[in-house]
Amino acid sequence: MNQKGKILVVDDDRLVLATLTHGLAQAGYEVIDADNGDDAILLARQHKPELALLDIRMEGKTGFDVAAYLREYCQIPFMFLSAFSDEATVAQVKELGALTYLVKPLDIQQIVPAVEAAFANRAQAPSLQQGQATAPATGAPTLPSDPLTHLVPLAVGIVMHRHSLGRKQALEKLQQQARAEGRSVEALAERLLNAQEVLAGLGSL
């Protein structure tokens, strides 16, 4: 099977790490995993993944420490996975320039669309890596003003995953549905993501 891309997954909970690694591998990605920040940095330098999924609260180097290193020295985009959604945590996520922020507990069905959206958007935003490479040490990479409101890319990722479509076809499907419902694509995307969160909260039925 052709690999869709290479992802570094970092979480100090071995069960979560195994679940994420298996789910992303099943979705067609090459996965490199680490259960601590030091190993994550070494693996990132060695394997040069195209995306990193980082737990925030870990012993030793935190996900924030790893993200800062990836941004500054490797120019690797990243997402955060965390059980914490307090104001201070979200503020630091924004400052570091994460692609998105997913709050645990998470179902792999939520994570795969977010990952697929991130890979789909790389081709549209080549300035991301350039922005990261040239960003000052205290600043965030060149990203839209609020990375936590990227509703449409995430919704496109969900549609891609659910219907096995390419990015363009998934976006067209969203646009058609939005027109049919008489609402904006952004409003439809928000409704879709809210529904996804409700479904994930129900767990296995």
Side-chain angles (χ1 to χ4, degrees):
M1 179 173 59
N2 291 329
Q3 299 292 340
K4 293 180 179 178
K6 188 185 296 185
I7 303 173
L8 171 65
V9 179
V10 188
D11 199 304
D12 62 355
D13 184 322
R14 289 297 187 95
L15 180 59
V16 171
L17 189 63
T19 301
L20 291 175
T21 300
H22 177 74
L24 289 167
Q26 287 292 103
Y29 293 94
E30 179 183 351
V31 184
I32 305 149
D33 58 36
D35 62 5
N36 64 81
D38 289 311
D39 284 352
I41 287 172
L42 289 172
L43 288 169
R45 292 177 61 176
Q46 181 180 354
H47 294 280
K48 297 179 174 56
E50 296 154 272
L51 178 69
L53 270 63
L54 308 173
D55 184 29
I56 292 177
R57 306 286 176 94
M58 298 186 290
E59 291 292 326
K61 281 188 172 62
T62 67
F64 289 147
D65 295 329
V66 176
Y69 185 93
L70 295 183
R71 185 189 72 180
E72 189 72 19
Y73 298 104
C74 304
Q75 291 79 56
I76 295 170
F78 49 85
M79 298 177 176
F80 285 119
L81 311 172
S82 178
F84 301 90
S85 56
D86 57 277
E87 190 173 327
T89 299
V90 172
Q92 195 160 358
V93 167
K94 289 183 180 181
E95 183 182 345
L96 283 165
L99 293 181
T100 193
Y101 177 53
L102 302 171
V103 180
K104 296 177 181 176
L106 283 163
D107 187 275
I108 193 66
Q109 298 301 322
Q110 282 180 294
I111 295 171
V112 170
V115 167
E116 292 190 339
F119 273 89
N121 288 333
R122 282 184 316 145
Q124 281 199 324
S127 60
L128 172 64
Q129 282 78 10
Q130 296 164 10
Q132 287 175 318
T134 58
T138 56
T142 302
L143 285 168
S145 57
D146 187 350
L148 302 184
T149 58
H150 294 171
L151 298 177
V152 175
L154 286 174
V156 168
I158 291 171
V159 175
M160 287 170 65
H161 181 65
R162 286 291 177 89
H163 299 281
S164 299
L165 296 173
R167 184 190 179 284
K168 184 179 179 182
Q169 290 84 358
L171 178 58
E172 287 173 353
K173 194 174 185 68
L174 269 183
Q175 291 169 334
Q176 289 169 3
Q177 185 66 24
R179 283 196 296 270
E181 295 183 14
R183 66 175 78 214
S184 69
V185 175
E186 289 79 8
L188 178 61
E190 184 173 13
R191 190 163 71 90
L192 184 61
L193 289 170
N194 287 339
Q196 189 80 356
E197 288 176 7
V198 170
L199 288 172
L202 292 174
S204 300
L205 298 177

